[in-house]
Amino acid sequence: MIIRETCVAIWDALHAAVMAQPHMEQWKEIADVFQKTCQFPNCAGAIDGKHIRIKKPVRSGSQYYNYKKYFSFVLFAMCDANYSFRYIDVGSYGSRSDSAVFAHSEFGKMLQDKALDLPDHTTLPGTTSPAMPFVFVADEAFALGENLMRPYSSRGLSLARRVFNYRLTRASRVVECAFGILANKWRFLHTPIHLKLETAISAVKAACVLHNFVRARDGFNFDDSLSHSLQSHRPSVVRGHRQGAAVREQFTAYFMSPHGALPWQLEAI
């Protein structure tokens, strides 16, 4: 009871202060940091989902039993380039795919409904056209959309598409590092959580807001962020739509242009 009440109190006290939904000017600031540190323009955040290992919840059947053959719920997160969580969704069934968790999350619905207060389309650095949307970057488990970029399929890629995948990975890996920092700071995430389901969810939510609280004051050890016990979701086959494909092609062309290319990108792919 003490654990549950304390975790709920931590979440209630810190959530609004350290994980409030960004407004338009804050989205621009987030994108500026992604451009400076990851060289991916118009990027508003990186998203991913991780399994949180738990003991089998009472009367849950196979809902929390994931493809790696253990019980878990999902921590879905969107983070900025400073490795801070800007949105989390905690507690979805471990048997669900990343795309399903995203689609049913408040964040996913707001993105779909254009309700995130993202800035208007703007041109990429060094260009005068076309005006490009602000986007979130993710791995292949998510569906391509106008505001959501995922890698190209790895089969028969052209040089330009391989460069795009490299550039997108540079930006999307920040959420992996954020999960690593989280798990290595709050080490109960390295082992199965032996708490009731609701208490376990509250503990993870508390750890996430404490992560943001500490990030602003304590920094982090980058090496510790590269290994952690949080398991990725199994990629699922999801389709994008034409508008998203057109935006991805424009980013691809930009990354091969004199204004958008990096000196080392061809050696890195």
Side-chain angles (χ1 to χ4, degrees), residues 138-157:
D139 62 23
E140 64 277 6
F142 294 86
L144 183 67
E146 180 185 11
N147 300 108
L148 183 57
M149 294 291 99
R150 55 164 282 174
Y152 289 100
S153 172
S154 58
R155 296 180 180 178
L157 290 181

Side-chain angles (χ1 to χ4, degrees), residues 151-173:
Y152 289 100
S153 172
S154 58
R155 296 180 180 178
L157 290 181
S158 65
L159 177 63
R161 291 187 173 190
R162 288 166 58 199
V163 167
F164 173 86
N165 282 2
Y166 165 69
R167 298 288 292 272
L168 181 137
T169 300
R170 279 174 53 83
S172 63
R173 69 183 180 184

Side-chain angles (χ1 to χ4, degrees), residues 164-232:
F164 173 86
N165 282 2
Y166 165 69
R167 298 288 292 272
L168 181 137
T169 300
R170 279 174 53 83
S172 63
R173 69 183 180 184
V174 301
V175 68
E176 287 282 338
C177 290
F179 284 134
I181 299 163
L182 176 74
N184 285 307
K185 175 69 78 172
W186 314 108
R187 291 184 173 269
F188 76 100
L189 295 170
H190 281 296
T191 58
I193 303 176
H194 291 279
L195 296 169
K196 291 183 179 179
L197 179 62
E198 290 184 1
T199 306
I201 291 171
S202 293
V204 172
K205 290 168 65 176
C208 289
V209 290
L210 286 171
H211 165 90
N212 282 11
F213 184 82
V214 171
R215 278 289 303 126
R217 294 158 176 79
D218 191 33
F220 69 98
N221 183 332
F222 182 77
D223 291 336
D224 285 346
S225 74
L226 298 180
S227 61
H228 57 80
S229 60
L230 305 185
Q231 297 294 320
S232 297

